[in-house]
Amino acid sequence: VAVIGETKPIKDLLKSLGGRFNFKLSVGPGWVFPKMKVEALKEALKHVIEPQQITDLKDEYKKMQDFLNS
């Protein structure tokens, strides 16, 4: 699982959750986490992401799923 985008303001949080920064991801630089950390990551990000950003992320995720399924 990867967290990409403007992560610098929350880099300490991501590192404390066990993330590893990788600047060579195919989707751009980001933090990589094992699948077993997904729930803890979701819970932690709820407290730092604005509600509109969550909606935007859900829309982007849906677009990605539609693209991959076509």
Side-chain angles (χ1 to χ4, degrees), residues 1-58:
V1 175
V3 176
I4 58 171
E6 181 55 47
T7 59
K8 197 168 189 175
I10 58 169
K11 69 180 175 75
D12 293 333
L13 171 65
L14 297 173
K15 188 173 183 175
S16 73
L17 292 169
R20 297 179 64 102
F21 189 77
N22 185 334
F23 63 92
K24 293 184 178 182
L25 296 175
S26 62
V27 293
W31 292 83
V32 180
F33 293 84
K35 285 183 182 181
M36 66 183 176
K37 298 277 186 168
V38 170
E39 291 306 316
L41 183 60
K42 284 182 189 178
E43 189 60 34
L45 291 178
K46 282 182 190 178
H47 302 288
V48 296
I49 296 178
E50 299 293 324
Q52 182 57 46
Q53 289 174 303
I54 292 171
T55 301
D56 293 346
L57 289 173
K58 286 180 182 176

Side-chain angles (χ1 to χ4, degrees), residues 53-68:
Q53 289 174 303
I54 292 171
T55 301
D56 293 346
L57 289 173
K58 286 180 182 176
D59 292 345
E60 288 300 316
Y61 182 73
K62 175 75 172 115
K63 288 178 193 175
M64 180 182 69
Q65 282 183 315
D66 292 344
F67 174 76
L68 293 174

